[in-house]
Amino acid sequence: MSENDYNEEIDELTQVSMNILMHAGNARDNLVKAFESIHNENFEEANDSLKKAREEITTSHGMQTNTLQKEASGEQIRYSTLFAHAQDTMMTAQSEILIAENLLKIFEKIMRKI
């Protein structure tokens, strides 16, 4: 691999990592809004925020998947702390979204019974 190829790989992986982080961060911002809406018993707004969070995390996940598919097809992807951080952020947001979606269902059910 030439130095130029190596630099292009670093630039591409850095860009992908930053985009994953950006979309995962957007998902978490929407998730915070969803939790605030749940707290305020504004379930429609919570659903809207969760939908936006899910869309952002889906975009982020697609970027990760594309990178992993390259490696699975034989293209060597170097280790990147930034990419690992991006994956961690995305996976945390995915878990938090799942929790929020289930909490929303629980609170909606409780409020219907009151």
Side-chain angles (χ1 to χ4, degrees), residues 43-97:
F43 302 133
E44 186 175 330
E45 188 175 291
N47 269 313
D48 289 343
S49 293
L50 283 172
K51 181 181 178 191
K52 291 175 186 172
R54 181 62 68 192
E55 289 169 357
E56 290 285 350
I57 214 64
T58 299
T59 300
S60 182
H61 189 264
M63 293 175 188
Q64 174 198 244
T65 300
N66 289 342
T67 302
L68 296 177
Q69 284 176 339
K70 287 179 182 179
E71 188 164 11
S73 68
E75 183 179 330
Q76 182 63 39
I77 305 295
R78 68 173 178 79
Y79 176 78
S80 165
T81 304
L82 183 61
F83 186 68
H85 172 63
Q87 290 178 298
D88 287 344
T89 302
M90 183 195 67
M91 289 185 295
T92 300
Q94 283 178 309
S95 294
E96 291 171 337
I97 289 168

Side-chain angles (χ1 to χ4, degrees), residues 26-47:
N26 290 345
R28 291 187 88 187
D29 288 345
N30 282 296
L31 183 61
V32 168
K33 291 176 186 174
F35 276 121
E36 289 171 358
S37 296
I38 292 169
H39 176 80
N40 294 325
E41 299 177 15
N42 188 339
F43 302 133
E44 186 175 330
E45 188 175 291
N47 269 313

Side-chain angles (χ1 to χ4, degrees), residues 4-44:
N4 191 40
D5 290 339
Y6 179 76
N7 288 336
E8 285 179 22
E9 177 189 348
I10 290 173
D11 290 345
E12 181 181 342
L13 190 56
T14 298
Q15 187 63 44
V16 167
S17 300
M18 293 304 294
N19 282 328
I20 291 170
L21 281 166
M22 179 186 68
H23 287 285
N26 290 345
R28 291 187 88 187
D29 288 345
N30 282 296
L31 183 61
V32 168
K33 291 176 186 174
F35 276 121
E36 289 171 358
S37 296
I38 292 169
H39 176 80
N40 294 325
E41 299 177 15
N42 188 339
F43 302 133
E44 186 175 330

